[in-house]
Amino acid sequence: MSGLKPGEVNLGTSIMAVQFADGVIIGADSRTTTGSYIANRVTDKLTEVHDTIYCCRSGSAADTQAVADIVHYYLQMYSVQNGKPTVPLAATLFQEMCYQNKDNLSAGIIVGGWDKENGGSVWNIPLGGSLHRQPFAIGGSGSTYIYGYCDATYRDGMSKDECIEFVKNSLALAMSRDGSSGGVIRLAVITEQGVQRIFVPGDQVPVHWEG
Amino acid sequence: MSIMEYNGGAVVAMVGKNCVAIACDKRLGVQAMTISTEFKKTFQATPKTYIGLPGLATDVQTLAEKFRFKVNMYRLKEEREIEPRALAHLVSSTLYERRFGPWFVEPVIAGLDKENRPFICSTDLIGCINFAKDFVVSGTTSNQLYGMCESLWEPDLEPEDLFETISQSLMNAVDRDCLSGWGAEVTVITPEKIITRTLRSRQD
């Protein structure tokens, strides 16, 4: 568990975002840890930076909150001066912060949102500050356990409900194997109409083989 | 990274009215990654005593076998089962033998003596015994267990109530520890019988 200072709060995490026809679906677990203690078991890791642009945060809780707040501010100013921002713009702002401060940050961020020019788009910004547009992206410590599952399950052109099931099942698998992920699943469906939040409590999280 | 937190685990024992209970989680992990959900940490030492061994998993397995050997030898030589208090001292000296290169476990012992009086205790990794009258806790979840037990325990609980109390203490404590959980096993020891139950818990 690198990059974190002693006592710092960790967004261990499993996060995910999937692009579909009308927009994107983003999802995250809800566990925040300090060492092995679960400091918050109902965290909201899906953070709004604009009306239809959200980010999923993983890594240091402090670092990702600070970066998201700054990007939120920049997008507020941009929208007042220039009109609605696009998702690639927001993603580039995140990239700028993460890359230029790479030595001091521990932040893995996935940006997902809808805008008029691009429709839905997903942008993955891993630790070093690189920017990757992907049809779907996974991140956080729990993501390592579901690369195979996601590659095997993802198909182009899935419907909204199929994407929701895909995200729910992937996150459930990651939460089961990764000690730093768990709690409840939070989802957000982002389309031209706005943001619809979905909450999956612990007892409704999909159950797979448990030995 | 602390060696005591490499595999994770939680054990708790409580005293009731003419009975004792011991409970453990079932997770085996390698730091954050969960490897197995069937790694129990309690072992039967005699027909009326159990030992719980949370800590480094390899030492959990090795000491479980060492204590099985020592208890068997005691039975062969003394022609009687070892009493819980004597077992506690046996555990303590086995651990202190390795004072400067210790076994990375912090055992919990629970049982009934020959007059069926309840007995529990715990030791640290080098054998200091803590004789308690109410409850003992050990493992990566010990702080959370202290909070749960201190709030939920009361004296003279009947076996069924003791089962509920120890189960709730363990389940809610491990839900705040990312290195423990993934199932639980609870054993209640009474003069007549021993009942072991497996609890369904959160698998995260």
Side-chain angles (χ1 to χ4, degrees):
Chain A
M1 309 200 191
S2 58
L4 265 40
K5 301 180 213 53
E8 205 185 341
V9 161
N10 181 20
L11 244 41
T13 300
S14 307
I15 49 175
M16 192 164 169
V18 184
Q19 178 192 331
F20 72 109
D22 304 328
V24 300
I25 293 173
I26 59 174
D29 74 304
S30 69
R31 180 169 289 184
T32 312
T33 51
T34 325
S36 66
Y37 178 66
I38 301 172
N40 188 351
R41 60 192 179 112
V42 287
T43 324
D44 184 5
K45 304 182 187 181
L46 307 175
T47 303
E48 183 203 292
V49 290
H50 200 71
D51 301 351
T52 53
I53 309 176
Y54 270 62
C55 70
C56 311
R57 300 181 292 114
S58 75
S60 154
D63 289 353
T64 55
Q65 281 176 11
V67 168
D69 284 349
I70 292 170
V71 171
H72 185 191
Y73 163 76
Y74 278 133
L75 291 177
Q76 267 185 327
M77 293 303 287
Y78 182 92
S79 68
V80 163
Q81 293 164 353
N82 307 100
K84 260 183 180 289
T86 62
V87 186
L89 174 76
T92 311
L93 286 169
F94 270 108
Q95 178 192 24
E96 199 59 23
M97 306 236 52
C98 292
Y99 176 72
Q100 297 296 349
N101 297 294
K102 61 158 73 189
D103 294 340
N104 299 315
L105 289 176
S106 176
I109 293 173
I110 300 177
V111 181
W114 181 93
D115 64 57
K116 210 147 188 311
E117 287 88 332
N118 303 288
S121 58
V122 169
W123 305 79
N124 199 352
I125 304 158
L127 245 42
S130 55
L131 180 64
H132 307 271
R133 181 171 183 189
Q134 294 172 312
F136 77 94
I138 55 177
S141 54
S143 67
T144 56
Y145 304 103
I146 54 172
Y147 275 96
Y149 175 78
C150 291
D151 288 347
T153 315
Y154 176 78
R155 290 161 293 116
D156 273 331
M158 287 194 287
S159 70
K160 170 180 141 180
D161 289 327
E162 284 171 326
C163 284
I164 290 176
E165 283 313 294
F166 175 47
V167 173
K168 250 200 254 177
N169 281 317
S170 308
L171 290 179
L173 285 164
M175 283 156 67
S176 185
R177 279 285 178 176
D178 180 27
S180 310
S181 304
V184 305
I185 297 181
R186 293 190 192 274
L187 297 154
V189 183
I190 308 174
T191 59
E192 178 171 15
Q193 278 69 44
V195 178
Q196 177 209 356
R197 282 241 185 202
I198 303 175
F199 174 75
V200 184
D203 55 352
Q204 288 168 28
V205 169
V207 168
H208 301 94
W209 178 81
E210 259 146 27
Chain B
M1 192 231 27
S2 159
I3 192 68
M4 296 295 285
E5 289 171 19
Y6 186 71
N7 296 122
V11 174
V12 56
M14 284 186 176
V15 165
K17 195 168 177 62
N18 302 320
C19 62
V20 291
I22 187 168
C24 68
D25 74 316
K26 287 172 36 173
R27 178 182 183 267
L28 172 69
V30 171
Q31 296 190 301
M33 177 162 71
T34 305
I35 305 284
S36 168
T37 54
E38 290 298 330
F39 192 75
K40 288 170 243 183
K41 299 153 186 92
T42 52
F43 306 91
Q44 184 163 30
T46 76
K48 295 202 296 189
T49 46
Y50 266 68
I51 303 186
L53 290 165
L56 190 65
T58 180
D59 289 353
V60 167
Q61 290 183 323
T62 302
L63 283 177
E65 287 169 21
K66 270 177 95 77
F67 290 134
R68 189 169 81 99
F69 168 76
K70 293 189 176 204
V71 166
N72 285 344
M73 288 307 294
Y74 186 99
R75 187 188 308 111
L76 286 169
K77 293 184 203 176
E78 298 262 329
E79 296 180 25
R80 62 186 177 94
E81 295 289 351
I82 187 170
E83 287 289 296
R85 200 168 287 270
L87 178 61
H89 286 94
L90 179 63
V91 167
S92 170
S93 27
T94 307
L95 294 172
Y96 198 80
E97 253 181 337
R98 290 278 171 269
R99 170 62 178 81
F100 298 109
W103 297 108
F104 295 110
V105 293
E106 294 195 315
V108 162
I109 295 158
L112 302 173
D113 68 14
K114 59 182 191 281
E115 263 95 59
N116 287 330
R117 281 177 301 222
F119 174 90
I120 58 168
C121 75
S122 65
T123 80
D124 68 5
L125 76 172
I126 46 175
C128 169
I129 313 178
N130 163 36
F131 295 103
K133 300 199 173 81
D134 42 12
F135 52 85
V136 287
V137 305
S138 193
T140 55
T141 325
S142 56
N143 286 345
Q144 291 87 326
L145 281 165
Y146 274 126
M148 288 308 307
C149 293
E150 201 66 57
S151 332
L152 297 184
W153 186 85
E154 54 187 74
D156 294 321
L157 288 165
E158 294 291 330
E160 297 76 36
D161 299 325
L162 186 65
F163 166 73
E164 286 300 328
T165 304
I166 198 174
S167 299
Q168 287 298 322
S169 297
L170 182 66
M171 301 271 278
N172 291 296
V174 301
D175 281 352
R176 279 284 183 174
D177 178 13
C178 50
L179 302 177
S180 300
W182 281 264
E185 191 176 77
V186 182
T187 302
V188 181
I189 307 166
T190 61
E192 298 81 42
K193 54 187 188 305
I194 300 183
I195 307 180
T196 302
R197 296 178 182 90
T198 309
L199 303 181
R200 262 191 46 194
S201 76
R202 302 179 64 101
Q203 302 287 320
D204 63 1

